Amino acid sequence: MKVLLAGGAGYIGSHTAVQLLRAGHEVVIVDDFSNSSPEAIRRVEELGGKKVVSYEADVKDKEKVRQIFRENDIDCVIHFAGLKAVGESVRLPLKYYRNNIDTTLTLLECMEEAGCTRFVFSSSATVYGEENDPPYVETMKRGSCSNPYGWTKVMMEEILEDAAKANPKLTVILLRYFNPIGAHESGRIGEDPQGIPNNLMPYIAQVAVGRRDHLTVFGGDYPTPDGTCLRDYIHVMDLADGHVKAVEYAENHRGVEIFNLGTGTPYSVLDIIKAFESATGVKVKYEIGPRRAGDLPKFWADSAKAQKVLGWKTKRSLEDMCRDTWKWQKNNPMGYGK
Ligand code: NAD
Ligand code: UD1
């Protein structure tokens, strides 16, 4: 299939692009590089062994997106092009609502004009909100979120469900990611956050490489075995494989399907620090600090549905996640160096 990756130069999009190419699909990328670098696309081509058609454009720009559909016979769209910094979304909510929702509407409208009927969406475990107890199952009701970023995901899921209800030809796959970490095993592509990392693994990697002095562990007094939060960390390459399965499933199915993409195994913040140290042999200096507003004590996935329906199963261990993160960080201490 020919797959359009909106936001395909980013962290998850670039790894997905490699796995799609290796599975024999064609890839078209549109990205405005607001949180990524064109160098990622060059490396995707190197790892995927094939050329990628790419456009530098804002996915809110309808004329430009129309042109992309005119110039390419797109079979399926994967929408990664979102803003994702939770703290920034609290400070700049309108920016988040405008970007995340407008990109979704623009893609849906242009798909309708072009007769493209398959849409795979980057959603998040955050849509389960505070009301649900782990493990999260796809049949649970969406909950309430503590920040505008989370609400954009809830709203976009609802928009996509309504669009599919109104158009029986449309296939919508909502992929709810848990905590993606790691990098391609080559160390050529990986996560390249701008400024101070918000998420745990990139922060650990930057402490290990000497870019930051120490990690602050957000809270040591949660009701968990070691007092730090529990999360379901998933290797980004397993996540990428989940997208390949979702695209192939969308080829022959109609309607809306939701899939959790997680391993089903929770680890604490201290588990991650220890695993990183033992996989890499590098010490990670840390101190326990106050809780971060909005953090939930624990959540992880029930991933049975993706296993059963998509035939997808995670293959990579926590050790792989740590080793591959470190290979990327060590070989590219300043990321893509944009
Ligand atoms: P990322 O920032 O690395 O990738 C997003 C890409 O979209 C970037 O390359 C950015 O330049 C591009 N982009 C943003 N707005 C755009 C626009 N208007 N036009 C064109 N390009 C635009 O983020 P990621 O970690 O790869 O996440 C991808 C998607 O998955 C996001 O929607 C994110 O909310 C979602 N998600 C991520 C995580 C995670 O932990 N990384 C977890 C759950 C969900
Ligand atoms: C966060 C977002 C979530 C989003 C996801 C992926 C919040 C409240 N949630 O999830 O909506 O979908 O990122 O972008 O921000 N930690 C530290 N020190 C750090 C960084 C993190 O101790 O410097 C801890 C956190 O408290 C948490 C765990 O590490 O317990 C994982 O944090 P993070 O990587 O930010 O992911 P989430 O909070 O799960």
Side-chain angles (χ1 to χ4, degrees), residues 116-222:
C116 176
T117 57
R118 300 178 191 92
F119 194 100
V120 176
F121 179 61
S122 294
S123 192
S124 166
T126 198
V127 303
Y128 289 103
E130 294 166 15
E131 293 84 350
N132 292 300
D133 288 325
Y136 292 158
V137 188
E138 291 88 344
T139 47
M140 288 171 166
K141 275 206 163 71
R142 285 183 278 263
S144 40
C145 297
S146 59
N147 59 78
Y149 162 77
W151 281 119
T152 68
K153 294 293 178 196
V154 169
M155 289 175 190
M156 289 185 287
E157 286 201 354
E158 292 189 350
I159 289 168
L160 287 161
E161 287 181 349
D162 285 343
K165 258 186 234 152
N167 177 3
K169 289 198 189 125
L170 193 60
T171 304
V172 168
I173 312 271
L174 306 176
L175 298 179
R176 292 180 178 161
Y177 310 156
F178 281 68
N179 287 60
I181 58 173
H184 189 273
E185 41 272 19
S186 64
R188 294 289 290 154
I189 56 172
E191 187 168 14
D192 182 18
Q194 315 294 306
I196 302 171
N198 298 303
N199 299 113
L200 179 64
M201 194 49 125
Y203 206 106
I204 289 179
Q206 291 196 7
V207 171
V209 85
R211 273 176 75 178
R212 317 257 159 220
D213 178 63
H214 69 279
L215 170 79
T216 301
V217 174
F218 297 143
D221 57 352
Y222 283 100

